[in-house]
Amino acid sequence: MENNKLKTSTADDNIENLLKIWKLEHLQNHFVEHRITHEVLSILTPRHIEILFQGLAVGDMAIFQKNLKQCQLESNNAEKTPKTNTTLEFSDCGLVKKPVPPVKDMLMDSQNGRLLLKHYAKHNLFNEQQRNLLINTLAKYIESKGYPCSLADSDEIENQICVLFPTESKDYYTSGKRGRLYNKIYNLKRYTKSLSKENEPICGSVNKTTESKKFVPEAESDFALRGIRNENTTADEFDIYWRKCSQLRFSQIEHSESTNDILKIWPEYKKPSGISMIDIDFSLKYPKSCNLILKWPLYERKIWHLISSKISSKLNQKFF
């Protein structure tokens, strides 16, 4: 359909033109504020869209979802299976495939990768610990960017590793029929997908036993917490780590005496992205709850009455 085709221009112009075609140009500044680029647009999930349109008109969100889905379907039908690692990118003809960067470029784009390159340049050798770090660094990069990776793709990446680091043997990176890199990427993607399915909101009554549930910290919560506090963690990795230590967080919140205590333990809530963290926590704690936007017409008057009755008279006069 002509409606879903993009004009040839820069990445920002692509977003602007697309919104105009879909008659959503009034949302352009909102998309800029949320850093929605052509690359981000191609990997948006329903959860991302829900957060993006929080507080906006439901009609706009419905139009956006419909057109984006149609655009992706048309592109997928038009594309044949690619021969190399690829991900989705917007162009003048819709969504097209973009090759995964070379191994050296991926390593240069992360702190651990640059340290590995520097170490090898000095010592001309990797030990097993450094090989594990190399595999983890590449796997996290590929998974966080949304690149698909087949067995053939993984094999090609292992070949590139041996070329980039000549003293390395491909045997170091193989594990049966699947390579160690492929296994790492597969496990990361499987965990992310399971989180998405497990925590997808389902309209219905809230499970009353959820509130009285005793939260048992996860076995890997310490690892997840270190990932959250690591300045080199990407946004996608942060989302995974945040979910992975939810039971620890809920338990600590439950035993905290005040909001200040909670913010001291979990300062992430005070960051600009804190509202997203709260949304994630709510969906994890109440997986069957509905989006308030969908129920707003039913409860609007009651909610405003509750808010006006709970705040000071000065603020009441200011906002109401």
Side-chain angles (χ1 to χ4, degrees), residues 155-182:
D155 184 71
E156 174 57 27
I157 292 174
E158 291 166 4
N159 289 335
Q160 289 186 41
I161 290 174
C162 293
V163 173
L164 184 61
F165 307 110
T167 58
E168 289 297 283
S169 170
K170 196 171 180 179
D171 293 339
Y172 296 148
Y173 301 93
T174 56
S175 177
K177 294 182 179 180
R178 295 180 174 183
R180 293 170 63 186
L181 176 64
Y182 180 88

PDB file of all heavy atoms in Angstrom, residues 155-182:
ATOM      1  N   ASP A 155      28.517 -18.953  12.553  1.00  0.00           N
ATOM      2  CA  ASP A 155      29.738 -19.541  12.008  1.00  0.00           C
ATOM      3  C   ASP A 155      30.599 -18.483  11.317  1.00  0.00           C
ATOM      4  O   ASP A 155      31.828 -18.475  11.456  1.00  0.00           O
ATOM      5  CB  ASP A 155      29.376 -20.647  11.017  1.00  0.00           C
ATOM      6  CG  ASP A 155      30.600 -21.370  10.468  1.00  0.00           C
ATOM      7  OD1 ASP A 155      31.236 -22.121  11.244  1.00  0.00           O
ATOM      8  OD2 ASP A 155      30.917 -21.175   9.280  1.00  0.00           O
ATOM      9  N   GLU A 156      29.944 -17.580  10.599  1.00  0.00           N
ATOM     10  CA  GLU A 156      30.672 -16.508   9.924  1.00  0.00           C
ATOM     11  C   GLU A 156      31.328 -15.565  10.922  1.00  0.00           C
ATOM     12  O   GLU A 156      32.461 -15.102  10.720  1.00  0.00           O
ATOM     13  CB  GLU A 156      29.716 -15.721   9.014  1.00  0.00           C
ATOM     14  CG  GLU A 156      30.311 -14.484   8.365  1.00  0.00           C
ATOM     15  CD  GLU A 156      31.538 -14.772   7.529  1.00  0.00           C
ATOM     16  OE1 GLU A 156      31.663 -15.909   7.008  1.00  0.00           O
ATOM     17  OE2 GLU A 156      32.383 -13.870   7.397  1.00  0.00           O
ATOM     18  N   ILE A 157      30.630 -15.277  12.009  1.00  0.00           N
ATOM     19  CA  ILE A 157      31.197 -14.414  13.053  1.00  0.00           C
ATOM     20  C   ILE A 157      32.422 -15.074  13.683  1.00  0.00           C
ATOM     21  O   ILE A 157      33.435 -14.421  13.953  1.00  0.00           O
ATOM     22  CB  ILE A 157      30.135 -14.109  14.126  1.00  0.00           C
ATOM     23  CG1 ILE A 157      29.040 -13.225  13.535  1.00  0.00           C
ATOM     24  CG2 ILE A 157      30.769 -13.415  15.336  1.00  0.00           C
ATOM     25  CD1 ILE A 157      27.871 -12.983  14.473  1.00  0.00           C
ATOM     26  N   GLU A 158      32.351 -16.389  13.905  1.00  0.00           N
ATOM     27  CA  GLU A 158      33.501 -17.111  14.458  1.00  0.00           C
ATOM     28  C   GLU A 158      34.687 -17.067  13.503  1.00  0.00           C
ATOM     29  O   GLU A 158      35.843 -16.951  13.933  1.00  0.00           O
ATOM     30  CB  GLU A 158      33.101 -18.551  14.747  1.00  0.00           C
ATOM     31  CG  GLU A 158      32.106 -18.689  15.898  1.00  0.00           C
ATOM     32  CD  GLU A 158      31.457 -20.059  15.958  1.00  0.00           C
ATOM     33  OE1 GLU A 158      31.840 -20.934  15.158  1.00  0.00           O
ATOM     34  OE2 GLU A 158      30.545 -20.249  16.786  1.00  0.00           O
ATOM     35  N   ASN A 159      34.412 -17.121  12.198  1.00  0.00           N
ATOM     36  CA  ASN A 159      35.490 -16.997  11.204  1.00  0.00           C
ATOM     37  C   ASN A 159      36.131 -15.616  11.290  1.00  0.00           C
ATOM     38  O   ASN A 159      37.357 -15.477  11.198  1.00  0.00           O
ATOM     39  CB  ASN A 159      34.944 -17.226   9.791  1.00  0.00           C
ATOM     40  CG  ASN A 159      34.566 -18.679   9.540  1.00  0.00           C
ATOM     41  OD1 ASN A 159      35.108 -19.585  10.188  1.00  0.00           O
ATOM     42  ND2 ASN A 159      33.636 -18.908   8.636  1.00  0.00           N
ATOM     43  N   GLN A 160      35.295 -14.594  11.476  1.00  0.00           N
ATOM     44  CA  GLN A 160      35.818 -13.229  11.595  1.00  0.00           C
ATOM     45  C   GLN A 160      36.685 -13.086  12.846  1.00  0.00           C
ATOM     46  O   GLN A 160      37.700 -12.375  12.833  1.00  0.00           O
ATOM     47  CB  GLN A 160      34.667 -12.229  11.656  1.00  0.00           C
ATOM     48  CG  GLN A 160      33.917 -12.043  10.354  1.00  0.00           C
ATOM     49  CD  GLN A 160      32.887 -10.920  10.458  1.00  0.00           C
ATOM     50  OE1 GLN A 160      33.157  -9.874  11.050  1.00  0.00           O
ATOM     51  NE2 GLN A 160      31.706 -11.147   9.892  1.00  0.00           N
ATOM     52  N   ILE A 161      36.287 -13.758  13.919  1.00  0.00           N
ATOM     53  CA  ILE A 161      37.080 -13.712  15.156  1.00  0.00           C
ATOM     54  C   ILE A 161      38.480 -14.261  14.909  1.00  0.00           C
ATOM     55  O   ILE A 161      39.483 -13.683  15.348  1.00  0.00           O
ATOM     56  CB  ILE A 161      36.379 -14.518  16.273  1.00  0.00           C
ATOM     57  CG1 ILE A 161      35.103 -13.803  16.726  1.00  0.00           C
ATOM     58  CG2 ILE A 161      37.314 -14.724  17.466  1.00  0.00           C
ATOM     59  CD1 ILE A 161      34.277 -14.587  17.723  1.00  0.00           C
ATOM     60  N   CYS A 162      38.555 -15.370  14.187  1.00  0.00           N
ATOM     61  CA  CYS A 162      39.853 -16.001  13.925  1.00  0.00           C
ATOM     62  C   CYS A 162      40.724 -15.144  13.010  1.00  0.00           C
ATOM     63  O   CYS A 162      41.960 -15.192  13.095  1.00  0.00           O
ATOM     64  CB  CYS A 162      39.641 -17.389  13.311  1.00  0.00           C
ATOM     65  SG  CYS A 162      38.869 -18.576  14.445  1.00  0.00           S
ATOM     66  N   VAL A 163      40.093 -14.382  12.128  1.00  0.00           N
ATOM     67  CA  VAL A 163      40.854 -13.480  11.255  1.00  0.00           C
ATOM     68  C   VAL A 163      41.345 -12.270  12.043  1.00  0.00           C
ATOM     69  O   VAL A 163      42.493 -11.833  11.901  1.00  0.00           O
ATOM     70  CB  VAL A 163      39.985 -13.017  10.063  1.00  0.00           C
ATOM     71  CG1 VAL A 163      40.706 -11.940   9.257  1.00  0.00           C
ATOM     72  CG2 VAL A 163      39.647 -14.202   9.169  1.00  0.00           C
ATOM     73  N   LEU A 164      40.472 -11.733  12.895  1.00  0.00           N
ATOM     74  CA  LEU A 164      40.821 -10.562  13.690  1.00  0.00           C
ATOM     75  C   LEU A 164      41.856 -10.893  14.762  1.00  0.00           C
ATOM     76  O   LEU A 164      42.741 -10.079  15.062  1.00  0.00           O
ATOM     77  CB  LEU A 164      39.557  -9.999  14.339  1.00  0.00           C
ATOM     78  CG  LEU A 164      39.687  -8.701  15.136  1.00  0.00           C
ATOM     79  CD1 LEU A 164      40.182  -7.560  14.244  1.00  0.00           C
ATOM     80  CD2 LEU A 164      38.340  -8.331  15.762  1.00  0.00           C
ATOM     81  N   PHE A 165      41.773 -12.111  15.314  1.00  0.00           N
ATOM     82  CA  PHE A 165      42.705 -12.564  16.347  1.00  0.00           C
ATOM     83  C   PHE A 165      43.373 -13.857  15.851  1.00  0.00           C
ATOM     84  O   PHE A 165      42.900 -14.968  16.157  1.00  0.00           O
ATOM     85  CB  PHE A 165      41.967 -12.815  17.664  1.00  0.00           C
ATOM     86  CG  PHE A 165      41.134 -11.649  18.128  1.00  0.00           C
ATOM     87  CD1 PHE A 165      39.738 -11.717  18.112  1.00  0.00           C
ATOM     88  CD2 PHE A 165      41.738 -10.479  18.563  1.00  0.00           C
ATOM     89  CE1 PHE A 165      38.967 -10.647  18.539  1.00  0.00           C
ATOM     90  CE2 PHE A 165      40.961  -9.395  18.991  1.00  0.00           C
ATOM     91  CZ  PHE A 165      39.579  -9.480  18.967  1.00  0.00           C
ATOM     92  N   PRO A 166      44.443 -13.751  15.079  1.00  0.00           N
ATOM     93  CA  PRO A 166      45.046 -14.900  14.369  1.00  0.00           C
ATOM     94  C   PRO A 166      45.480 -16.063  15.248  1.00  0.00           C
ATOM     95  O   PRO A 166      45.497 -17.208  14.781  1.00  0.00           O
ATOM     96  CB  PRO A 166      46.259 -14.268  13.671  1.00  0.00           C
ATOM     97  CG  PRO A 166      45.914 -12.818  13.535  1.00  0.00           C
ATOM     98  CD  PRO A 166      45.111 -12.489  14.756  1.00  0.00           C
ATOM     99  N   THR A 167      45.812 -15.819  16.507  1.00  0.00           N
ATOM    100  CA  THR A 167      46.250 -16.924  17.364  1.00  0.00           C
ATOM    101  C   THR A 167      45.078 -17.733  17.919  1.00  0.00           C
ATOM    102  O   THR A 167      45.291 -18.767  18.554  1.00  0.00           O
ATOM    103  CB  THR A 167      47.081 -16.397  18.551  1.00  0.00           C
ATOM    104  OG1 THR A 167      46.297 -15.469  19.307  1.00  0.00           O
ATOM    105  CG2 THR A 167      48.350 -15.710  18.054  1.00  0.00           C
ATOM    106  N   GLU A 168      43.861 -17.262  17.684  1.00  0.00           N
ATOM    107  CA  GLU A 168      42.678 -17.974  18.137  1.00  0.00           C
ATOM    108  C   GLU A 168      42.317 -19.099  17.162  1.00  0.00           C
ATOM    109  O   GLU A 168      42.478 -18.966  15.948  1.00  0.00           O
ATOM    110  CB  GLU A 168      41.490 -17.026  18.278  1.00  0.00           C
ATOM    111  CG  GLU A 168      41.608 -16.061  19.449  1.00  0.00           C
ATOM    112  CD  GLU A 168      41.643 -16.792  20.788  1.00  0.00           C
ATOM    113  OE1 GLU A 168      40.579 -17.235  21.253  1.00  0.00           O
ATOM    114  OE2 GLU A 168      42.742 -16.922  21.356  1.00  0.00           O
ATOM    115  N   SER A 169      41.806 -20.191  17.708  1.00  0.00           N
ATOM    116  CA  SER A 169      41.354 -21.319  16.900  1.00  0.00           C
ATOM    117  C   SER A 169      39.824 -21.401  16.950  1.00  0.00           C
ATOM    118  O   SER A 169      39.222 -21.130  18.001  1.00  0.00           O
ATOM    119  CB  SER A 169      41.955 -22.621  17.423  1.00  0.00           C
ATOM    120  OG  SER A 169      41.351 -23.740  16.812  1.00  0.00           O
ATOM    121  N   LYS A 170      39.232 -21.788  15.848  1.00  0.00           N
ATOM    122  CA  LYS A 170      37.777 -21.887  15.808  1.00  0.00           C
ATOM    123  C   LYS A 170      37.261 -22.945  16.779  1.00  0.00           C
ATOM    124  O   LYS A 170      36.116 -22.880  17.241  1.00  0.00           O
ATOM    125  CB  LYS A 170      37.315 -22.201  14.390  1.00  0.00           C
ATOM    126  CG  LYS A 170      35.832 -21.953  14.160  1.00  0.00           C
ATOM    127  CD  LYS A 170      35.480 -22.058  12.691  1.00  0.00           C
ATOM    128  CE  LYS A 170      33.991 -21.795  12.476  1.00  0.00           C
ATOM    129  NZ  LYS A 170      33.630 -21.859  11.038  1.00  0.00           N
ATOM    130  N   ASP A 171      38.114 -23.912  17.110  1.00  0.00           N
ATOM    131  CA  ASP A 171      37.723 -24.962  18.052  1.00  0.00           C
ATOM    132  C   ASP A 171      37.360 -24.385  19.419  1.00  0.00           C
ATOM    133  O   ASP A 171      36.580 -24.977  20.164  1.00  0.00           O
ATOM    134  CB  ASP A 171      38.863 -25.968  18.227  1.00  0.00           C
ATOM    135  CG  ASP A 171      39.114 -26.762  16.955  1.00  0.00           C
ATOM    136  OD1 ASP A 171      38.193 -26.834  16.120  1.00  0.00           O
ATOM    137  OD2 ASP A 171      40.232 -27.295  16.788  1.00  0.00           O
ATOM    138  N   TYR A 172      37.955 -23.222  19.752  1.00  0.00           N
ATOM    139  CA  TYR A 172      37.662 -22.598  21.038  1.00  0.00           C
ATOM    140  C   TYR A 172      36.199 -22.147  21.132  1.00  0.00           C
ATOM    141  O   TYR A 172      35.666 -21.985  22.226  1.00  0.00           O
ATOM    142  CB  TYR A 172      38.549 -21.372  21.253  1.00  0.00           C
ATOM    143  CG  TYR A 172      40.033 -21.674  21.349  1.00  0.00           C
ATOM    144  CD1 TYR A 172      40.968 -20.754  20.898  1.00  0.00           C
ATOM    145  CD2 TYR A 172      40.502 -22.858  21.904  1.00  0.00           C
ATOM    146  CE1 TYR A 172      42.329 -21.006  20.984  1.00  0.00           C
ATOM    147  CE2 TYR A 172      41.857 -23.124  21.981  1.00  0.00           C
ATOM    148  CZ  TYR A 172      42.774 -22.196  21.524  1.00  0.00           C
ATOM    149  OH  TYR A 172      44.112 -22.444  21.608  1.00  0.00           O
ATOM    150  N   TYR A 173      35.585 -21.933  19.979  1.00  0.00           N
ATOM    151  CA  TYR A 173      34.260 -21.311  19.953  1.00  0.00           C
ATOM    152  C   TYR A 173      33.148 -22.260  19.502  1.00  0.00           C
ATOM    153  O   TYR A 173      32.008 -21.855  19.363  1.00  0.00           O
ATOM    154  CB  TYR A 173      34.282 -20.079  19.042  1.00  0.00           C
ATOM    155  CG  TYR A 173      35.296 -19.054  19.513  1.00  0.00           C
ATOM    156  CD1 TYR A 173      36.591 -19.061  19.015  1.00  0.00           C
ATOM    157  CD2 TYR A 173      34.958 -18.127  20.486  1.00  0.00           C
ATOM    158  CE1 TYR A 173      37.531 -18.149  19.475  1.00  0.00           C
ATOM    159  CE2 TYR A 173      35.888 -17.205  20.956  1.00  0.00           C
ATOM    160  CZ  TYR A 173      37.185 -17.228  20.441  1.00  0.00           C
ATOM    161  OH  TYR A 173      38.107 -16.329  20.906  1.00  0.00           O
ATOM    162  N   THR A 174      33.493 -23.515  19.276  1.00  0.00           N
ATOM    163  CA  THR A 174      32.488 -24.488  18.866  1.00  0.00           C
ATOM    164  C   THR A 174      32.034 -25.306  20.066  1.00  0.00           C
ATOM    165  O   THR A 174      32.780 -25.533  21.025  1.00  0.00           O
ATOM    166  CB  THR A 174      33.047 -25.447  17.798  1.00  0.00           C
ATOM    167  OG1 THR A 174      34.229 -26.088  18.306  1.00  0.00           O
ATOM    168  CG2 THR A 174      33.385 -24.698  16.518  1.00  0.00           C
ATOM    169  N   SER A 175      30.778 -25.747  19.999  1.00  0.00           N
ATOM    170  CA  SER A 175      30.210 -26.564  21.078  1.00  0.00           C
ATOM    171  C   SER A 175      29.162 -27.477  20.456  1.00  0.00           C
ATOM    172  O   SER A 175      27.984 -27.148  20.394  1.00  0.00           O
ATOM    173  CB  SER A 175      29.591 -25.673  22.160  1.00  0.00           C
ATOM    174  OG  SER A 175      28.981 -26.450  23.170  1.00  0.00           O
ATOM    175  N   GLY A 176      29.608 -28.644  19.994  1.00  0.00           N
ATOM    176  CA  GLY A 176      28.690 -29.549  19.301  1.00  0.00           C
ATOM    177  C   GLY A 176      28.271 -28.949  17.967  1.00  0.00           C
ATOM    178  O   GLY A 176      29.059 -28.336  17.252  1.00  0.00           O
ATOM    179  N   LYS A 177      26.995 -29.123  17.617  1.00  0.00           N
ATOM    180  CA  LYS A 177      26.492 -28.593  16.362  1.00  0.00           C
ATOM    181  C   LYS A 177      26.332 -27.077  16.417  1.00  0.00           C
ATOM    182  O   LYS A 177      26.383 -26.396  15.399  1.00  0.00           O
ATOM    183  CB  LYS A 177      25.142 -29.238  16.011  1.00  0.00           C
ATOM    184  CG  LYS A 177      25.235 -30.723  15.702  1.00  0.00           C
ATOM    185  CD  LYS A 177      23.872 -31.278  15.321  1.00  0.00           C
ATOM    186  CE  LYS A 177      23.971 -32.757  14.979  1.00  0.00           C
ATOM    187  NZ  LYS A 177      22.649 -33.325  14.591  1.00  0.00           N
ATOM    188  N   ARG A 178      26.111 -26.565  17.607  1.00  0.00           N
ATOM    189  CA  ARG A 178      25.956 -25.135  17.782  1.00  0.00           C
ATOM    190  C   ARG A 178      27.235 -24.531  18.361  1.00  0.00           C
ATOM    191  O   ARG A 178      27.855 -25.105  19.240  1.00  0.00           O
ATOM    192  CB  ARG A 178      24.798 -24.830  18.740  1.00  0.00           C
ATOM    193  CG  ARG A 178      23.433 -25.252  18.232  1.00  0.00           C
ATOM    194  CD  ARG A 178      22.392 -24.896  19.275  1.00  0.00           C
ATOM    195  NE  ARG A 178      21.027 -25.145  18.813  1.00  0.00           N
ATOM    196  CZ  ARG A 178      19.936 -24.867  19.529  1.00  0.00           C
ATOM    197  NH1 ARG A 178      20.075 -24.351  20.735  1.00  0.00           N
ATOM    198  NH2 ARG A 178      18.734 -25.107  19.051  1.00  0.00           N
ATOM    199  N   GLY A 179      27.581 -23.357  17.884  1.00  0.00           N
ATOM    200  CA  GLY A 179      28.724 -22.658  18.436  1.00  0.00           C
ATOM    201  C   GLY A 179      28.374 -22.023  19.773  1.00  0.00           C
ATOM    202  O   GLY A 179      27.200 -21.845  20.118  1.00  0.00           O
ATOM    203  N   ARG A 180      29.381 -21.678  20.555  1.00  0.00           N
ATOM    204  CA  ARG A 180      29.151 -21.068  21.866  1.00  0.00           C
ATOM    205  C   ARG A 180      28.469 -19.709  21.726  1.00  0.00           C
ATOM    206  O   ARG A 180      27.641 -19.341  22.553  1.00  0.00           O
ATOM    207  CB  ARG A 180      30.483 -20.927  22.592  1.00  0.00           C
ATOM    208  CG  ARG A 180      31.118 -22.258  22.984  1.00  0.00           C
ATOM    209  CD  ARG A 180      32.539 -22.078  23.466  1.00  0.00           C
ATOM    210  NE  ARG A 180      32.594 -21.258  24.673  1.00  0.00           N
ATOM    211  CZ  ARG A 180      33.746 -20.856  25.227  1.00  0.00           C
ATOM    212  NH1 ARG A 180      34.904 -21.178  24.663  1.00  0.00           N
ATOM    213  NH2 ARG A 180      33.724 -20.113  26.318  1.00  0.00           N
ATOM    214  N   LEU A 181      28.825 -18.975  20.678  1.00  0.00           N
ATOM    215  CA  LEU A 181      28.196 -17.676  20.449  1.00  0.00           C
ATOM    216  C   LEU A 181      26.710 -17.842  20.152  1.00  0.00           C
ATOM    217  O   LEU A 181      25.872 -17.110  20.693  1.00  0.00           O
ATOM    218  CB  LEU A 181      28.888 -16.956  19.294  1.00  0.00           C
ATOM    219  CG  LEU A 181      28.271 -15.619  18.878  1.00  0.00           C
ATOM    220  CD1 LEU A 181      28.384 -14.606  20.007  1.00  0.00           C
ATOM    221  CD2 LEU A 181      28.941 -15.083  17.609  1.00  0.00           C
ATOM    222  N   TYR A 182      26.375 -18.795  19.287  1.00  0.00           N
ATOM    223  CA  TYR A 182      24.966 -19.022  18.937  1.00  0.00           C
ATOM    224  C   TYR A 182      24.166 -19.412  20.186  1.00  0.00           C
ATOM    225  O   TYR A 182      23.055 -18.926  20.391  1.00  0.00           O
ATOM    226  CB  TYR A 182      24.862 -20.124  17.888  1.00  0.00           C
ATOM    227  CG  TYR A 182      23.432 -20.409  17.468  1.00  0.00           C
ATOM    228  CD1 TYR A 182      22.846 -19.692  16.423  1.00  0.00           C
ATOM    229  CD2 TYR A 182      22.670 -21.375  18.113  1.00  0.00           C
ATOM    230  CE1 TYR A 182      21.533 -19.927  16.041  1.00  0.00           C
ATOM    231  CE2 TYR A 182      21.356 -21.614  17.751  1.00  0.00           C
ATOM    232  CZ  TYR A 182      20.802 -20.900  16.707  1.00  0.00           C
ATOM    233  OH  TYR A 182      19.492 -21.138  16.345  1.00  0.00           O
TER     234      TYR A 182
END
